[in-house]
Amino acid sequence: TTRADMVQAVLEGVAFAIRDSVEVARSLGITVHTSKICGGGARSPLWKRIFANVLNTELEVPVSEQGPGMGGAMLAMVACGEYDSVRSCCRKLCAVTSTVKPEPELAARYEARYRQFRKIYPAVKNLFPNIQ
């Protein structure tokens, strides 16, 4: 196993964990057509590509890297009456610099790997507390 293999495994593992959250949303009838990606990891073209393909969803990269902080500030602006709704605030302040689209061939490969991940993780989860 090379360092590159280990780095890719970590990136894919995080993407699969986020995919689990997306699957919960989907099970509740929520359709996710696009999503945003921001922060330090969003600077990596590789990670953005992995995420887009694991999620099989377009990812928009906002101008601001400050996702959670900016979101909190936007909610405060709405609460203080600066904007009449979160939607109007977003329209004004949420510009997108680029979009990463899933690639059908890679998305299909990641779909198969995700299905494997969903089987493996529960099988080994109980072993984690015993590892020291």
Side-chain angles (χ1 to χ4, degrees), residues 7 12 17 28:
V7 169
E12 290 175 353
L28 297 171

Side-chain angles (χ1 to χ4, degrees), residues 13 16-17 20 112-122:
F16 288 154
D20 279 344
R113 289 175 97 172
Y114 176 71
R115 296 291 164 208
Q116 290 175 326
F117 169 83
R118 293 285 297 160
K119 290 178 185 174
I120 293 170
Y121 182 74

Side-chain angles (χ1 to χ4, degrees), residues 6-29:
M6 295 300 290
V7 169
Q8 184 159 353
V10 168
L11 298 179
E12 290 175 353
V14 172
F16 288 154
I18 297 296
R19 168 78 184 266
D20 279 344
S21 297
V22 170
E23 291 303 322
V24 169
R26 289 177 177 157
S27 76
L28 297 171

Side-chain angles (χ1 to χ4, degrees), residues 16-130:
F16 288 154
I18 297 296
R19 168 78 184 266
D20 279 344
S21 297
V22 170
E23 291 303 322
V24 169
R26 289 177 177 157
S27 76
L28 297 171
I30 298 168
T31 303
V32 180
H33 297 288
T34 63
S35 189
K36 304 271 192 285
I37 187 168
C38 62
R43 292 185 200 133
S44 167
L46 174 61
W47 209 353
K48 288 186 284 195
R49 186 176 180 208
I50 289 171
F51 263 94
N53 287 301
V54 166
L55 300 175
N56 198 15
T57 301
E58 278 190 13
L59 297 177
E60 296 176 337
V61 182
V63 171
S64 173
E65 290 183 3
Q66 306 306 318
M70 183 67 166
M74 291 167 63
L75 291 173
M77 285 185 261
V78 173
C80 292
E82 186 69 26
Y83 293 93
D84 62 347
S85 69
V86 172
R87 185 176 305 269
S88 66
C89 186
C90 288
R91 284 189 185 124
K92 181 73 173 176
L93 300 178
C94 295
V96 172
T97 61
S98 63
T99 301
V100 181
K101 296 183 180 197
E103 303 159 64
E105 185 178 320
L106 283 176
R109 279 204 222 141
Y110 273 122
E111 182 63 30
R113 289 175 97 172
Y114 176 71
R115 296 291 164 208
Q116 290 175 326
F117 169 83
R118 293 285 297 160
K119 290 178 185 174
I120 293 170
Y121 182 74
V124 298
K125 181 180 178 183
N126 292 333
L127 300 174
F128 295 149
N130 300 324

